[in-house]
Amino acid sequence: MAGIRLEGITKKFGGTEVIRGIDLEIQDKEFFTLVGPSGCGKSTLLNIIAGLEELTSGRVLFDGEAVDALSPRDRDVAFVFQSYALYPHKNVYENVAFPLRMAATPEGVIDSKVKEAAALLGLEGLLQRMPRELSGGQRQRVALGRALVRDPKVFLLDEPLSNLDAALRAQMRAELKKLQHGLRCTFVYVTHDQAEAMTLSDRLAVIRDGRIEQYGSPREVYDRPVNTFVASFLGSPPMNLIPATFAKERVEIGDFALPLSSGEARALAGRLQTEKVILGIRPENVKLLSQEKPGSFEAVVSVIETMGAENFVNLVLSGHRIVARTRTDFVAREEERLFVAFEKNSLHLFDAVTEENVLLKWGE
C-alpha cells in the first residue's frame, strides 16, 4: 500500500496548460476522489500518477519516494478504465489471470488468486463465460478482478461506472466502497458525477481548469464550499445562488432583507470588493410556510418536481429562481403564493466579483 504526494504538478500539451501547479497529498489506505466537469484535467492527473502521461514539471512520490522516472509497471499500480478493456477472445478466468501470466506467475498461484478475486467479486459462476456474454456490471467486476490479482500498491479508477445504468451504478458504488474497506488499499478515483464523489470518498478534490478549487471530506466541502463553483457543483439540486446587495447591517434581495450582526457587517466590509454579493442556501435549508412569519419572504411556486421520496419545489423569489427540497406530503399549486424562510445558520455569502465565500456560515 502507498500514500501519494503530488508536488507542483503541471502538464502542457503544446502551448496549452491543462494541469496548473497541483499540490496534493493522498493518504495510505484512503479512498480519494478527483471530481470535476469534463475537460477539467482530472483524468490527465490520474494518468500522471500512473505514469501513462509524462508531467511537464513537478514530482510524484509514493511513500516519500519519487516515481517520476519509473514506468507504469514499476510503479506497481493497477488501472481500471472506463471502457473495461477486456480481451474479447479470452474468458473471464483468462482475463483476470492475464497480468499474472505476463509476470510469469506459477500456475498454482494464478489459479488461487483468480478464484480468490472471483469469490470476492461474485464471479465464481462466470469464469468460463466470454465478455460478450456478460452484463455491464459483470464486465466491470472482471476489470476490477484483473486489477485485484496484482495486489498493487495503488488502485487507479477512471470513471469506471459511467457506462452503467443508474440502478447498477448505485449497486456498484456500494460494492466498490465495501471492496476498498475490505482490502484497505489506496484508491484514487476519477469521476464527473458528484453523487459518486460524495458517497464513495474519504476525501475528495474538486478540480476546475486544471486547478484544485477545494479538497477535504465530502461533508466538509459540501457544508463549507470555498466559492460559488464548488457550491453549485456539489449537491443535487445545487445550492441556490441569489444575487443580493450588502447594505450596512443587512443583505438585501430585492424588497427583502436579512439582518447581520454588527460583527458580521464589519468583517464583510473588509472582505468585499463591492457591495454586490451572492447569497447561498442549500435546497434542504429552504423552508416553505403557509403563512407569513418574522424573517420570511413571499415567493411564487413555478414548478413542483415529484421525485418519489421527496419533492423539488421551484420558486420565484423577488425575480430569482430558487429550489426547495420538501417532503412528499407537501401540497401546493403552480402560481400559488407562499412564504419562504431560510435557516440562518445554513446561509453562505459570496463576493460577486471574486465568487469566494466571505461568510462560510451565518453567525460564524
Side-chain angles (χ1 to χ4, degrees):
M1 307 306 107
I4 301 169
R5 190 163 76 248
L6 308 180
E7 297 180 348
I9 301 297
T10 66
K11 175 63 181 178
K12 292 182 179 179
F13 292 105
T16 303
E17 190 174 36
V18 294
I19 302 293
R20 307 171 186 234
I22 283 183
D23 296 293
L24 184 64
E25 187 152 357
I26 299 169
Q27 299 168 7
D28 185 25
K29 302 181 179 64
E30 182 175 35
F31 200 122
F32 195 96
T33 299
L34 305 172
V35 61
S38 297
C40 70
K42 57 189 183 295
S43 291
T44 300
L45 190 60
L46 195 72
N47 289 336
I48 287 172
I49 295 171
L52 299 174
E53 197 75 66
E54 289 187 11
L55 49 77
T56 302
S57 64
R59 295 200 306 166
V60 179
L61 301 98
F62 286 5
D63 287 334
E65 298 292 328
V67 297
D68 309 307
L70 299 181
S71 68
R73 178 192 297 270
D74 294 331
R75 295 188 190 196
D76 195 13
V77 300
F79 209 118
V80 180
F81 297 92
Q82 176 181 351
S83 62
Y84 316 138
L86 302 181
Y87 296 102
H89 60 288
K90 296 180 183 291
N91 62 20
V92 169
Y93 185 103
E94 290 301 327
N95 264 285
V96 175
F98 183 77
L100 299 176
R101 295 203 186 284
M102 292 297 292
T105 307
E107 191 64 37
V109 176
I110 291 176
D111 189 65
S112 175
K113 283 183 169 288
V114 169
K115 289 180 178 177
E116 182 182 351
L120 188 63
L121 295 168
L123 297 172
E124 303 102 312
L126 306 175
L127 291 175
Q128 299 309 312
R129 290 194 187 181
M130 305 301 285
R132 65 178 177 274
E133 300 174 299
L134 303 177
S135 68
Q138 289 167 339
R139 292 179 191 180
Q140 189 59 74
R141 289 201 294 272
V142 175
L144 286 168
R146 187 173 55 194
L148 280 175
V149 296
R150 294 186 51 199
D151 192 25
K153 288 182 179 179
V154 177
F155 285 86
L156 306 175
L157 302 96
D158 190 2
E159 306 219 34
L161 308 184
S162 61
N163 291 331
L164 306 180
D165 62 46
L168 196 50
R169 279 202 305 273
Q171 178 186 336
M172 286 299 297
R173 283 202 302 265
E175 291 183 14
L176 273 176
K177 190 70 172 178
K178 181 179 178 182
L179 176 65
Q180 192 266 344
H181 279 174
L183 294 172
R184 299 305 300 154
C185 291
T186 306
F187 273 46
V188 185
Y189 190 94
V190 159
T191 183
H192 66 275
D193 187 325
Q194 56 90 20
E196 285 181 20
M198 293 288 291
T199 56
L200 286 171
S201 311
D202 296 317
R203 289 190 305 147
L204 57 85
V206 182
I207 299 178
R208 175 171 63 162
D209 296 334
R211 292 188 178 92
I212 292 177
E213 295 288 325
Q214 185 174 2
Y215 68 92
S217 71
R219 189 78 256 171
E220 176 186 357
V221 177
Y222 184 83
D223 284 344
R224 303 174 69 86
V226 297
N227 55 35
T228 56
F229 174 78
V230 176
S232 59
F233 189 81
L234 288 184
S236 181
M239 180 181 285
N240 295 298
L241 298 173
I242 309 166
T245 303
F246 169 55
K248 294 185 179 180
E249 293 190 357
R250 62 183 195 170
V251 173
E252 298 176 347
I253 310 167
D255 297 329
F256 309 114
L258 289 164
L260 292 163
S261 70
S262 58
E264 289 167 341
R266 283 194 301 271
L268 283 173
R271 296 174 190 169
L272 293 171
Q273 299 209 5
T274 70
E275 75 281 2
K276 298 300 182 184
V277 293
I278 299 170
L279 186 73
I281 183 76
R282 295 282 181 194
E284 59 268 26
N285 302 127
V286 177
K287 303 306 176 187
L288 304 185
L289 310 172
S290 57
Q291 57 187 2
E292 186 175 8
K293 291 185 178 179
S296 65
F297 315 124
E298 188 177 62
V300 178
V301 176
S302 58
V303 176
I304 298 177
E305 301 173 77
T306 302
M307 307 301 293
E310 58 192 358
N311 290 342
F312 298 153
V313 182
N314 293 261
L315 306 132
V316 177
L317 170 65
S318 193
H320 304 294
R321 177 185 172 274
I322 66 170
V323 179
R325 189 192 303 265
T326 72
R327 293 169 33 166
T328 54
D329 58 4
F330 172 80
V331 178
R333 301 181 307 277
E334 293 183 9
E335 304 302 324
E336 181 178 346
R337 294 183 177 273
L338 40 71
F339 295 91
V340 169
F342 298 151
E343 293 183 1
K344 190 173 181 182
N345 61 357
S346 299
L347 286 165
H348 302 259
L349 206 62
F350 303 88
D351 188 306
V353 177
T354 66
E355 298 186 345
E356 293 179 354
N357 199 335
V358 291
L359 194 63
L360 283 168
K361 288 290 185 71
W362 220 274
E364 291 188 354

